């Protein structure tokens, strides 16, 4: 048995586009971290000057130094999400989209592994589904329209004889646009509603990712609701 990897965080870039694009993707991720730090320092300075709550809106981006811990450690009951260092996340979205805050820091704060998805793979559902399978992704974050394409690729894999229940997925989190639960019918038919757990979350950009939560079940596909955003968090 090989020794465990001493580094709790591993950044992976998909293969097809070669070393140059791997370095580009890694550079983009590294660049995003100091941007967040600078925004935090600016926020703290503004707070000290104005004696106000520690929030600042800079170019439409709302940021608070404590927001990341609030987002992952204080807002959610443990039974909603049991994230751990064993989880594998994907950075599927552009870091210009606030959903990427959840993707990046969900992995980093819990000591998990973050797989950086190349642009080409993110636009090729079958290749992305293969990456999720190959890398053992456990936490997938998708807009409903992107997941519809992933789900269609999963259905094609099942039709070709693949055992789709072997996917490592534990959680699928929806955000970014309205969700029609009826569109999840085929997914539930193949996987059931226990693993992965599907959750719809809602939040405008200014709230930095999510402000509501609703776990989804098979019965939701029969209710005909246009979008189920759940309870405030």
């Amino acid at each position: 048995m090989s020794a465990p990897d001493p580094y709790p965080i591993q950044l992976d870039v998909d293969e097809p586009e070669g070393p140059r694009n791997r370095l580009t993707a890694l550079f983009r991720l590294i660049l995003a971290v100091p941007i967040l730090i600078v925004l935090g320092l600016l926020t703290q300075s503004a707070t000290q000057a104005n004696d106000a709550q520690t929030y600042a809106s800079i170019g439409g981006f709302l940021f608070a130094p404590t927001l990341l811990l609030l987002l992952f450690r204080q807002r959610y009951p443990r039974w909603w999400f049991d994230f751990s260092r064993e989880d594998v996340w994907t950075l599927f979205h552009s870091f210009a989209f606030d959903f990427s805050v959840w993707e990046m820091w969900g992995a980093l704060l819990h000591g998990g592994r973050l797989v950086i998805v190349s642009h080409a793979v993110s636009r090729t559902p079958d290749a992305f589904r293969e990456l999720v399978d190959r890398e053992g992704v456990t936490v997938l974050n998708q807009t409903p329209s992107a997941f519809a394409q992933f789900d269609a690729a999963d259905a094609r894999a099942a039709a070709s004889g693949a055992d789709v229940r072997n996917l490592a997925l534990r959680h699928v989190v929806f955000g970014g646009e309205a969700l029609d639960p009826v569109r999840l019918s085929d997914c539930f038919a193949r996987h059931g509603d226990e693993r992965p757990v599907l959750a719809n979350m809602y939040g405008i950009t200014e709230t930095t990712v999510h402000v509501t939560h609703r776990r989804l079940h098979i019965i939701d596909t029969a209710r005909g609701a246009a979008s189920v955003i759940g309870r405030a968090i």
Side-chain angles (χ1 to χ4, degrees), residues 55 67-81 83 98-99 102 173-175 199-204 207-215 228-233:
Y55 284 93
L67 185 57
L68 291 170
L69 291 179
L70 176 66
L71 185 61
F72 288 99
R73 302 292 172 83
Q74 297 176 30
R75 281 191 176 185
Y76 307 123
R78 183 69 176 172
W79 60 85
W80 285 5
F81 300 113
F83 300 140
D98 66 329
F99 213 168
W102 172 264
V173 178
F174 297 110
N200 190 30
M201 304 189 77
Y202 166 82
I204 59 174
T207 60
T208 309
V209 196
H210 306 305
V211 295
T212 72
H213 172 275
R214 172 67 148 76
R215 179 173 173 176
V228 185
I229 64 172
R231 53 163 288 188
I233 54 178

Side-chain angles (χ1 to χ4, degrees), residues 1-6:
M1 181 180 295
S2 60
D5 187 347

Side-chain angles (χ1 to χ4, degrees), residues 29-215:
L29 178 63
I30 293 172
L31 180 64
V33 174
I35 289 174
L36 292 173
I37 293 173
V38 169
L39 286 170
L41 292 174
L42 289 173
T43 299
Q44 288 180 323
S45 297
T47 300
Q48 292 169 359
N50 299 323
D51 193 28
Q53 187 178 10
T54 311
Y55 284 93
S57 183
I58 301 173
F61 182 81
L62 185 65
F63 183 83
T66 59
L67 185 57
L68 291 170
L69 291 179
L70 176 66
L71 185 61
F72 288 99
R73 302 292 172 83
Q74 297 176 30
R75 281 191 176 185
Y76 307 123
R78 183 69 176 172
W79 60 85
W80 285 5
F81 300 113
D82 53 346
F83 300 140
S84 74
R85 64 183 300 165
E86 303 300 321
D87 281 313
V88 180
W89 299 59
T90 58
L91 181 58
F92 179 87
H93 301 94
S94 165
F95 63 78
F97 182 21
D98 66 329
F99 213 168
S100 67
V101 173
W102 172 264
E103 293 180 299
M104 285 190 289
W105 291 100
L108 299 177
L109 285 177
H110 295 92
R113 184 158 66 94
L114 182 65
V115 179
I116 303 175
V117 182
S118 69
H119 182 268
V121 170
S122 72
R123 296 297 182 270
T124 311
D126 292 288
F128 179 55
R129 194 268 177 199
E130 194 277 329
L131 178 145
V132 168
D133 186 16
R134 183 180 71 244
E135 297 292 341
V137 173
T138 60
V139 182
L140 181 63
N141 304 280
Q142 296 274 272
T143 61
S145 57
F147 183 76
Q149 298 180 63
F150 175 87
D151 189 46
D154 189 57
R156 287 191 290 272
S160 69
D163 185 355
V164 295
R165 288 182 178 268
N166 282 340
L167 285 178
L169 280 176
R170 299 192 313 114
H171 293 284
V172 176
V173 178
F174 297 110
E177 61 190 42
L179 171 70
D180 180 0
V182 174
R183 299 182 68 184
L184 302 177
S185 299
D186 290 344
C187 177
F188 283 138
R190 290 191 306 278
H191 296 278
D193 60 4
E194 292 297 324
R195 186 181 177 97
V197 172
L198 274 57
N200 190 30
M201 304 189 77
Y202 166 82
I204 59 174
T205 299
E206 287 75 13
T207 60
T208 309
V209 196
H210 306 305
V211 295
T212 72
H213 172 275
R214 172 67 148 76
R215 179 173 173 176

